[in-house]
Amino acid sequence: MKNKILVIGTGYVGLVSGTCFAEMGNNVVCIDIDIKKINDLKKGIIPIFEPGLERLVNKNYKLKSLEFSTDIKTVINDAYIVFIAVGTPMGDDGSADLQYVLSVAKQIGQLMKHSLIIVNKSTVPVGTGDKVRKTIKNELDKRSLTIDFDVVSNPEFLKEGDAINDFMKPDRVVIGANSNKTIAVMRELYSPFVQSNSQIISMDVQSAEMTKYAANAMLATKISFMNEIANICELVGADVNHVKNGIGSDSRIGRSFINPGSGYGGSCFPKDVQALYRIAKENNYTPQLIKAVEQVNDNQKLVIANKVIKKFGADLSGKIFTVWGLAFKPGTDDMREAPAIYIIKELIARGAKIQAYDPKAIDEAKSHYLKGIQGITYYKNKCKALKKSDALLLLTEWKEFKSPDFDLIKEKLNNSIIFDGRNQYNSFKLEEKGFSYHQIGKKANGF
């Protein structure tokens, strides 16, 4: 009996998906070509930080409902569904690079011996399902075989830092397929995760592929719009925090994704917004709003750096700045496109030195995103990172930063100055304590 789920790719999406399927009683095998990663997973070493993931991986691996392997050949004939969850990195032209997706599809076509459902879990451009189908069929033709298979688009909607909860209790599950039989199989697979069948939304493959890009572009648009409003507020003397509350109470707008800040980052929004723009251009359409969303976000990443320059001058030689927060958001160690990268590089280029603290992302900074950059000292304690610093920069809204000891901060800093890139603090409270407090979307008392 073919009863296993095969997940190819043990990155963020693949590992979370495979683990959650196993948690619901399925037999899952996660495949990756990275031998070290697979060996580490077998030892309980998780390659990413995601709350709750390590516990579930280790639990299901011990129960043997979750397996790890580098050899697709030995397990594909026991599978009835194969999820493709490999990376689709952004190419030089902004488009999604499908080489890994199509490489997996080719391998499936070379090895499959029975009917399969192949599911694209990776975020892919519209039309990728057809390319996967064609790639598999070409390999079957070379083997002179006729085997039924179907290609499904099943995009993920996981928030880093809350991915387990998002997968186990999804708002919706989108299934793009052209066969009612396949849709029925996918509905059965996801039925334990939803409270109502209406949460499982079926459609054609192309619409499912587009849904993922549209969702991320919409959320990115809300972020960039609010940051644009914040910048205008600062010029006209309004307080964007009040404006946010005023518009967020409107049910048509809502309160999610309207917090002003230093711009969005991560693995999804930047890549998907650019990919959607590229898809439109390839079809002879110029999406002006999508381009503006990206441009606003690029500019927003340097707003805090520009505030620092305005306060201390263009030449920052001899200045020391403490950075609290390196990850692009709390709850993850992911620094991809994080505003902290751009801010730190800009300040160092002007002669400053940085004392940085993040509860999870320091290793990522050292090994990749800020690797080799001189002038950064990393601390394991947020308070020690304040010593003899000229100002504190808050760049990620980790919980441990929400209610710090401001008297201690004032004592340790050379100057009582805070630049808040996430609008976390009460400006009146800080002003009463004698701080020069600079946030997004409101004129600072220190200017």
Side-chain angles (χ1 to χ4, degrees):
M1 181 179 178
K2 316 302 182 186
N3 65 348
K4 289 188 175 181
I5 295 173
L6 197 58
V7 179
I8 302 178
T10 58
Y12 186 83
V13 173
L15 187 57
V16 170
S17 300
T19 301
C20 290
F21 281 133
E23 177 69 7
M24 284 301 192
N26 296 284
N27 294 315
V28 180
V29 182
C30 288
I31 300 286
D32 204 291
I33 60 173
D34 188 329
I35 297 174
K36 183 182 184 303
K37 183 188 285 188
I38 291 299
N39 287 336
D40 282 348
L41 284 166
K42 290 178 179 179
K43 297 174 185 175
I45 301 171
I46 311 302
I48 57 174
F49 172 73
E50 179 61 38
L53 181 60
E54 182 176 357
R55 180 183 65 82
L56 290 184
V57 168
N58 292 333
K59 170 190 169 185
N60 285 283
Y61 182 69
K62 289 177 182 177
L63 292 173
K64 299 185 185 298
S65 57
L66 180 63
E67 302 174 61
F68 300 104
S69 176
T70 58
D71 188 4
I72 183 176
K73 186 176 181 179
T74 60
V75 293
I76 191 170
N77 290 317
D78 294 324
Y80 75 105
I81 297 180
V82 179
F83 282 86
I84 300 176
V86 295
T88 53
M90 186 167 57
D92 293 336
D93 61 356
S95 62
D97 186 345
L98 295 177
Q99 62 171 313
Y100 304 113
V101 171
L102 297 180
S103 176
V104 170
K106 183 177 181 179
Q107 198 171 13
I108 292 171
Q110 292 170 340
L111 297 174
M112 64 185 292
K113 294 180 180 178
H114 64 270
S115 179
L116 282 174
I117 296 174
I118 294 96
V119 184
N120 274 331
K121 198 69 174 171
S122 305
T123 300
V124 294
V126 179
T128 300
D130 292 334
K131 292 180 180 179
V132 169
R133 183 179 291 105
K134 183 179 179 180
T135 299
I136 294 172
K137 188 177 185 307
N138 285 344
E139 295 305 315
L140 290 174
D141 289 345
K142 291 177 184 178
R143 297 166 62 199
S144 300
L145 292 176
T146 301
I147 301 175
D148 290 335
F149 68 93
D150 204 356
V151 177
V152 174
S153 174
N154 174 219
E156 54 86 14
F157 300 99
L158 306 177
K159 299 186 297 292
E160 292 192 46
D162 200 26
I164 299 297
N165 187 59
D166 285 342
F167 199 101
M168 300 298 284
K169 300 176 182 178
D171 294 324
R172 79 289 204 196
V173 176
V174 172
I175 299 169
N178 299 322
S179 160
N180 289 332
K181 181 180 178 181
T182 296
I183 290 173
V185 172
M186 294 297 292
R187 281 185 172 274
E188 183 179 359
L189 175 63
Y190 276 107
S191 60
F193 296 92
V194 298
Q195 294 181 330
S196 168
N197 286 333
S198 63
Q199 291 174 265
I200 302 177
I201 306 168
S202 59
M203 58 187 73
D204 59 274
V205 174
Q206 290 85 350
S207 296
E209 292 170 337
M210 187 63 179
T211 296
K212 170 64 175 180
Y213 281 112
N216 279 352
M218 181 67 207
L219 297 176
T221 299
K222 290 186 73 174
I223 294 170
S224 282
F225 174 81
M226 203 64 211
N227 283 332
E228 191 91 290
I229 293 297
N231 295 334
I232 297 172
C233 283
E234 197 164 328
L235 294 172
V236 301
D239 184 340
V240 72
N241 300 297
H242 296 324
V243 175
K244 178 189 73 172
N245 291 333
I247 67 173
S249 59
D250 187 328
S251 61
R252 297 170 300 174
I253 297 172
R255 297 187 181 277
S256 62
F257 290 88
I258 61 168
N259 293 317
S262 297
Y264 58 78
S267 62
C268 293
F269 288 5
K271 177 171 67 72
D272 292 352
V273 167
Q274 285 201 25
L276 183 56
Y277 179 83
R278 187 70 183 178
I279 290 167
K281 291 292 286 183
E282 288 173 352
N283 287 273
N284 300 314
Y285 179 77
T286 300
Q288 296 179 32
L289 178 58
I290 298 301
K291 188 62 177 177
V293 167
E294 182 184 22
Q295 289 174 338
V296 169
N297 192 64
D298 288 345
N299 294 336
Q300 198 68 19
K301 288 180 178 179
L302 288 176
V303 166
I304 287 294
N306 291 333
K307 287 178 179 291
V308 172
I309 293 164
K310 186 175 181 181
K311 180 71 174 177
F312 289 95
D315 184 359
L316 298 175
S317 299
K319 299 297 181 183
I320 300 173
F321 299 107
T322 295
V323 170
W324 278 3
L326 298 171
F328 87 94
K329 62 179 287 188
T332 180
D333 60 354
D334 193 347
M335 281 187 64
R336 283 174 285 188
E337 294 297 318
I341 298 171
Y342 298 88
I343 294 167
I344 289 172
K345 286 182 177 180
E346 178 67 19
L347 298 182
I348 286 179
R350 293 176 177 273
K353 293 188 181 300
I354 301 296
Q355 298 178 170
Y357 168 77
D358 188 285
K360 294 296 178 183
I362 287 178
D363 288 342
E364 286 291 301
K366 288 180 177 179
S367 64
H368 187 67
Y369 297 100
L370 297 171
K371 182 179 180 180
I373 296 180
Q374 301 298 312
I376 307 176
T377 303
Y378 297 96
Y379 288 82
K380 295 182 179 180
N381 180 286
K382 66 177 184 288
C383 293
K384 289 182 179 179
L386 296 166
K387 188 176 180 181
K388 296 183 179 180
S389 179
D390 291 293
L392 167 63
L393 281 62
L394 177 68
L395 302 182
T396 312
E397 61 273 35
W398 287 96
K399 287 182 179 179
E400 65 179 90
F401 301 153
K402 289 186 179 295
S403 299
D405 185 337
F406 289 110
D407 292 328
L408 179 62
I409 292 174
K410 190 173 184 180
E411 176 186 320
K412 286 185 172 290
L413 292 176
N414 287 338
N415 307 295
S416 301
I417 302 174
I418 295 177
F419 295 91
D420 186 351
R422 295 301 178 186
N423 284 20
Q424 290 294 290
Y425 301 139
N426 184 306
S427 60
F428 297 108
K429 178 180 178 180
L430 290 182
E431 287 165 13
E432 285 179 356
K433 288 182 172 291
F435 279 92
S436 174
Y437 179 55
H438 309 263
Q439 58 179 312
I440 305 288
K442 182 183 178 183
K443 286 185 178 179
N445 64 315
F447 286 140

